[in-house]
Every structure is written in C-alpha cells, then in structure tokens.
Amino acid sequence: MTQPVSPPRDSTDKVPQIPLPAWRNLMARTDVRTLSLLGVLAALVVIGGVTKPDEFLDTRNLQLVLTQASVIGVVTVGMTFVITSGGIDLSVGAIVALSSVWATTVATQEYGFAGIFFTAVIVGVGCGLVNGLLIAYGGTVPFIATLAMLASARGLALQITDGRTQIVTVDGILDLGERDSYVLGVPPLVIVFAIVTIIGWLVLNRTTFGRRAVAVGGNAEAARLAGIDVRRQRLYLYLLSGLCCGIAAFLLIILSGSGQNTNGNLYELDAIAAAIIGGTLLTGGRGTITGSVLGVLIFTTITNIFALNNLQSDVQQIAKGAIIVAAVLVQRRTASTN
C-alpha cells in the first residue's frame, strides 16, 4: 500500500518563530530606553549649546553640572533600590539636611575630616534604620513612615541650627571643593558619584541582594514563598537609602562649605522623578541604575539651561512635572503592551 505523499511546502508558508528568551527581551527594552535617554540628553546639550554657546559649553559650567548632579545622583541610587522593591522614601531630602547640619556642628568639627564624614554617614544610616523598622517590622505604610521622618528630620535640623548656617572650618573638607583637588579635570564629587553608581549597578544586577530586591518588588508574597525574608530585605533597602543620603550630605558639605537646615530641599521629588524617567517602575519589580543616572543628568542639565537663560524657577518646575507625567504614561503604555 502506497503512503500518501504530502504536498510540497509553499515558499510562502510561514516558518514558526522561536520566541526570544525573557532576558533577551529585557535587554532589548533596556537598550531602547537607554538610547532614548541618551538622545534626550544629547538634545538638551544641543539646546544649551545653541542658546548659550559660550556659557553652557564652558569647561567650568560642564564641571558644575556634573558636580551638582553628583549629590542628588547618590541619593537617586539609593532611591532606585527602594522603588525597585515596591517602596518609596519621601524623607531623603530631610535626611540629607539633618545629616549635613549634625556633621557640621562645632563639636563635630573638632574631630576633623573623619568626624564630619562619620557623623554624616551614621545619621543617614540611623534615619534609614528607623524607616526600615517602621515599614518592615512595624507594618507602617512606606508613604506614611517616610513622611513622618521627613517632618521629624526637618524639625530636628532646624532645632540644631536654630535657623543659622553652620560654616565649615576644617581645611581638609574645604580643600576638596577647590579646583586644585580635581583629578585630570574631574571634581572629587563626580568621582565619588561614579564609584557609588558602579557599586550600585553591580549590587542590583550581579548580586543575590539585587535579585531579591527585584523579587520583593515584583511579588512580595511569591518572594516570601521562595524563601526570601521580605521584612529583613526591606530593612536593608532603607538602610541602603539612608547610607546614600549620608554620603550625599557629606558631598553637599564639601560643595557648599556649610550645613543648613534647608539643604536637600525637594531632593525626594528629583530622586523619584529621575528614577521613574530612567525606567524604574513606580510599582516595583524593575529598576535600572543606568537609567536613573541618565535621569539625574537630564534634570540637572535642564536646571542649568534654565538658569543660564534667566528663566523663572516656576517654569522649570512645570517642565519637570510634565516630564514626570510623560514618563509615567510611557511606563503604563509599555506595561500594557508587554
């Protein structure tokens, strides 16, 4: 009995496509986001160069942009971890203020460079510890816990300074703000920011700690069933955020040569906005240090361009708000199509 012969395959028949692995799709989306942010940053540089070519493209101005980005950039690295885990930290600006004024009191300055640095970091970590305990073990909603810390830290900073500016007299601190301390034309603050960024990227993308942060933000219950101690992980993340705030406060002391209770004003807005436009999901489960850093550079460049063109700060805030709304809408559209 002869077997039926199947008809020859038409050349127009579609060959079944093998789906790409999930990590390949993630890398593709990441590359698109990164290239888009680089394109926005390049466009801003062009705008600045066209509107104020002599001032904007001056080496000193570019160094200033990077220096200003360094302080809020360090805070944003910590914020990226917190948002990736599904949390939020509204107290980062107040923690920076409290750390800076506590580290610049007369009693602290008697211990010199090490005393100022140690105090700024310890105060930041201490505030992060309180936030973490309230949220992870106290069951307090992150929004409420960090809002309470914002008010408390601002009030304590005002009480310490009594509304006065505390001038730094330690030569080792003041020298780091001078151009003589630049390394190959790069300010020390930018070098610290680069180191924090590299460490943050490695921790988030190459360690178990980073994978657990993503898992907790994606599905906390599933992470718990997988053996992750969700409460302890959240505590560590707020400790990390507090550490970044302490480091940022120390950088701000170097930059301004003083400690003020008004330091870090609206840092929480800038850090959250930079993380969101960088691609970190506000609902948690995905974070990108690279995108957050590019977000910081974009906002800092916008601020610099507005200042050089003598535009009002209220217009600048409106522009930032529009960028944030656009970034959230893009995130929602991307999430709905995946």
Side-chain angles (χ1 to χ4, degrees), residues 28-42 294:
R29 291 197 300 270
T30 301
D31 289 340
V32 171
R33 286 196 304 268
T34 302
L35 290 175
S36 300
L37 292 171
L38 287 173
V40 172
L41 185 58
L294 289 175

Side-chain angles (χ1 to χ4, degrees), residues 17-323:
Q17 299 293 324
I18 301 176
L20 291 174
W23 66 270
R24 291 281 298 276
N25 289 327
L26 178 61
M27 286 187 63
R29 291 197 300 270
T30 301
D31 289 340
V32 171
R33 286 196 304 268
T34 302
L35 290 175
S36 300
L37 292 171
L38 287 173
V40 172
L41 185 58
L44 290 173
V45 171
V46 171
I47 293 173
V50 171
T51 56
K52 292 289 183 179
D54 295 333
E55 295 91 339
F56 181 79
L57 297 178
D58 184 72
T59 302
R60 290 177 179 268
N61 183 64
L62 296 178
Q63 289 173 336
L64 175 63
V65 171
L66 292 176
T67 301
Q68 292 176 338
S70 299
V71 180
I72 185 61
V74 172
V75 175
T76 304
V77 170
M79 182 69 79
T80 301
F81 277 90
V82 171
I83 296 178
T84 300
S85 69
I88 198 72
D89 192 346
L90 301 178
S91 63
V92 290
I95 294 176
V96 169
L98 179 59
S99 299
S100 68
V101 300
W102 207 323
T104 54
T105 60
V106 175
T108 304
Q109 292 192 50
E110 291 179 355
Y111 294 94
F113 184 99
I116 293 177
F117 175 76
F118 181 78
T119 302
V121 171
I122 289 299
V123 172
V125 172
C127 292
L129 176 63
V130 174
N131 280 338
L133 290 175
L134 288 174
I135 294 167
Y137 294 95
T140 309
V141 177
F143 181 90
I144 300 299
T146 57
L147 185 62
M149 175 59 71
L150 183 156
S152 302
R154 282 290 178 192
L156 185 55
L158 179 60
Q159 187 178 47
I160 291 175
T161 61
D162 196 23
R164 300 186 181 93
T165 299
Q166 298 178 161
I167 304 300
V168 176
T169 58
V170 179
D171 291 336
I173 298 291
L174 299 176
D175 291 342
L176 289 176
E178 300 295 331
R179 296 186 62 84
D180 293 339
S181 64
Y182 289 11
V183 180
L184 299 177
V186 180
L189 275 68
V190 179
I191 296 175
V192 174
F193 176 37
I195 293 173
V196 171
T197 298
I198 293 172
I199 294 175
W201 186 91
L202 291 174
V203 171
L204 184 60
N205 296 282
R206 294 291 184 266
T207 67
T208 303
F209 180 86
R211 289 192 291 271
R212 287 176 177 172
V214 175
V216 170
N219 191 323
E221 181 61 20
R224 185 187 67 81
L225 295 175
I228 298 175
D229 190 331
V230 175
R231 294 189 299 179
R232 184 172 62 185
Q233 182 69 22
R234 284 175 174 160
L235 173 62
Y236 289 162
L237 288 165
Y238 280 96
L239 282 173
L240 177 60
S241 179
L243 173 63
C244 289
C245 289
I247 296 174
F250 181 72
L251 297 182
L252 192 56
I253 292 171
I254 295 174
L255 182 62
S256 63
S258 64
Q260 304 176 52
N261 65 286
T262 56
N263 282 341
N265 187 35
L266 295 181
Y267 272 20
E268 55 278 355
L269 170 64
D270 290 340
I272 294 171
I276 291 174
I277 71 170
T280 298
L281 281 180
L282 191 57
T283 54
R286 187 182 74 198
T288 163
I289 298 295
T290 303
S292 295
V293 170
L294 289 175
V296 170
L297 293 176
I298 287 172
F299 276 128
T300 309
T301 305
I302 290 174
T303 301
N304 184 259
I305 292 174
F306 272 63
L308 291 177
N309 287 276
N310 296 319
L311 296 176
Q312 298 296 326
S313 59
D314 54 351
V315 180
Q316 173 184 329
Q317 297 300 327
I318 293 172
K320 285 185 177 182
I323 293 174

